[in-house]
Amino acid sequence: MSKTYNIAVLKGDGIGPEVTEAAVNVLQATQETSNFKLNFLYGKAGYHCIAEYGTNLPEETIALLKRTDACLKGPMTTPEEPGAPVSAAVKIRKMFNLYANVRPCRTYPNVEALKPNIDLVMVRENTEGMYSGVEYEVAPGVGVALRIITQEASLRVAEYAFKLAQKRRKHLTYVHKGNILRITDGIFKDAVKAIAPKYPDVTTDDIHIDAAAMHLIKKPETFDVIVTTNLFGDVLSDEAAQITGSLGLAAGANIGETYGMFEPVHGSAPKYTGQNRVNPTATIMAASMMLDYLGEKDAAAKIESAVLKVLSEGKVRTADLGGSSTTSEMSGAIAAQVRSL
Ligand code: NAD
């Protein structure tokens, strides 16, 4: 009997609806050739909801997420004015305790990258740190943000990163700024060291965030798994995405004990809204990560193979990759490959 998964789809803002539909199109092709069904449940979330609901994450959407097995999320525009709703992605990550933000970065065939043979995964703590959302204006013109780091959250993200490294090239780099942030990054470093003895086959090293940003440019091919705190991971993963070619290729997973949310690393790129021009591959790879999370490994691998085939053939390429194909042409080419595999 075929299994059915309920998938929440949040299209988001800006280019979100285009890249999300592109990924759903590829998922439809995947389920045609697999023995499971995907039941897509569309929810409202993002900047465009604020005028109607007074929030970017309406209660009905939270209820919908709770009824589903996983969420495919498009990028959302984040309001920046003080007092505006905090990022919907940050709210979902906290609400569902999606503590590990996992962002693979690799070189792709036929895509110009800074260096060949890059294949790393960034694991970023996703629920606390600089994004705890505890910020005050303590006096006019004087602001304070609390960088909350706990042993509990650090231990669980470290454990996730070690497990992942064990399945890969067995090397883990932990990134911090312990020379300055001695208490908070001291807790993070101690947590990584406490987990290390459970994974004796995984070697570790540690570097400061500033050195990590430099080494990612200088010798990105030497990294396997990187684990770090929230803000550092956010910045480093955009950098890692760009050195492998384009933000339009980088996917991310937000993983918790009982739920997962999958999204492109990039944002809503408002200037390209509705132009059918951006690269949907990041969201399509996020959909592949979602199937992997659901245990549908073959289907996940099929999407990845289809992406690699389309990129290596190089006939269909969006503008960020130096081509002139549209978002829907890229999605159509990947879906066609999925059907033929
Ligand atoms: P962005 O990632 O939206 O865009 C930066 C640039 O990257 C774009 O101008 C474009 O040149 C390129 N780019 C992004 N996606 C691409 C794609 N699929 N194909 C080709 N090129 C692509 O970053 P930004 O402009 O800093 O942010 C815009 C909005 O998105 C902000 O409101 C920000 O807060 C939000 N954001 C949301 C998320 C999320 O929902 N998880 C993540 C990052 C940023």
Side-chain angles (χ1 to χ4, degrees):
M1 210 179 71
S2 79
K3 198 165 177 185
T4 298
Y5 300 101
N6 288 324
I7 306 298
V9 181
L10 308 180
K11 292 185 177 185
D13 302 303
I15 60 169
E18 297 160 57
V19 292
T20 313
E21 272 315 305
V24 169
N25 181 34
V26 172
L27 285 170
Q28 295 282 20
T30 312
Q31 67 171 336
E32 280 168 27
T33 54
S34 307
N35 62 350
F36 61 84
K37 290 276 160 276
L38 299 170
N39 183 23
F40 297 108
L41 299 165
Y42 287 83
K44 288 190 177 171
Y47 193 85
H48 67 279
C49 293
I50 298 176
E52 187 182 346
Y53 293 90
T55 170
N56 49 8
L57 189 63
E59 284 300 323
E60 62 194 54
T61 304
I62 297 169
L64 179 137
L65 293 172
K66 287 180 178 163
R67 295 201 308 272
T68 56
D69 299 297
C71 172
L72 180 68
K73 177 191 154 294
M76 295 173 188
T77 302
T78 320
E80 293 194 9
E81 320 75 61
V86 299
S87 148
V90 170
K91 275 189 219 161
I92 297 171
R93 288 168 187 160
K94 282 193 185 165
M95 201 173 279
F96 290 86
N97 223 344
L98 307 179
Y99 62 86
N101 189 305
V102 184
R103 295 179 165 183
C105 271
R106 50 164 298 179
T107 39
Y108 284 98
N110 230 351
V111 175
E112 197 181 329
L114 197 65
K115 286 265 193 104
N117 305 322
I118 303 167
D119 180 11
L120 63 89
V121 184
M122 193 78 60
V123 179
R124 154 188 168 200
E125 202 295 319
N126 215 14
T127 59
E128 56 175 31
M130 212 58 198
Y131 293 0
S132 299
V134 190
E135 219 188 5
Y136 309 99
E137 185 162 11
V138 289
V142 184
V144 176
L146 296 186
R147 180 177 190 262
I148 298 168
I149 302 282
T150 64
Q151 184 190 47
E152 187 189 359
S154 303
L155 285 171
R156 73 187 173 190
V157 77
E159 180 102 47
Y160 186 95
F162 272 105
K163 273 198 187 121
L164 182 65
Q166 199 171 48
K167 286 192 231 144
R168 290 174 43 94
R169 301 197 305 278
K170 303 190 192 321
H171 187 72
L172 179 67
T173 303
Y174 54 110
V175 174
H176 58 86
K177 190 70 180 170
N179 53 336
I180 305 292
L181 301 165
R182 292 177 186 168
I183 293 176
T184 47
D185 271 349
I187 291 169
F188 177 73
K189 280 179 0 184
D190 286 348
V192 178
K193 287 185 208 157
I195 299 291
K198 287 171 71 180
Y199 299 87
D201 51 340
V202 176
T203 56
T204 60
D205 62 359
D206 70 309
I207 42 175
H208 293 143
I209 174 64
D210 38 355
M214 182 188 69
H215 287 320
L216 265 180
I217 303 287
K218 204 172 157 194
K219 45 178 187 177
E221 70 283 1
T222 61
F223 290 102
D224 180 13
V225 178
I226 297 174
V227 65
T228 188
T229 51
N230 208 337
L231 171 65
F232 295 166
D234 196 8
V235 176
L236 285 185
S237 54
D238 266 33
E239 185 188 345
Q242 195 53 49
I243 59 173
T244 53
S246 169
L247 254 185
L249 297 172
N254 301 270
I255 308 280
E257 299 296 347
T258 56
Y259 198 67
M261 177 175 78
F262 301 83
E263 59 184 342
V265 168
H266 63 75
S268 58
K271 68 180 178 193
Y272 294 128
T273 305
Q275 293 179 26
N276 195 20
R277 164 195 167 100
V278 295
N279 192 344
T281 306
T283 316
I284 291 169
M285 289 301 289
S288 166
M289 292 178 84
M290 182 178 77
L291 292 182
D292 186 72
Y293 164 82
L294 292 170
E296 300 298 342
K297 310 273 177 204
D298 291 348
K302 205 183 264 190
I303 295 181
E304 193 176 342
S305 303
V307 166
L308 292 176
K309 188 92 197 302
V310 169
L311 290 175
S312 58
E313 281 179 1
K315 288 187 226 145
V316 182
R317 296 156 78 82
T318 41
D320 58 311
L321 303 178
S324 57
S325 306
T326 62
T327 308
S328 31
E329 282 165 352
M330 190 83 182
S331 158
I334 295 168
Q337 270 303 327
V338 164
R339 289 192 179 93
S340 74
L341 284 170

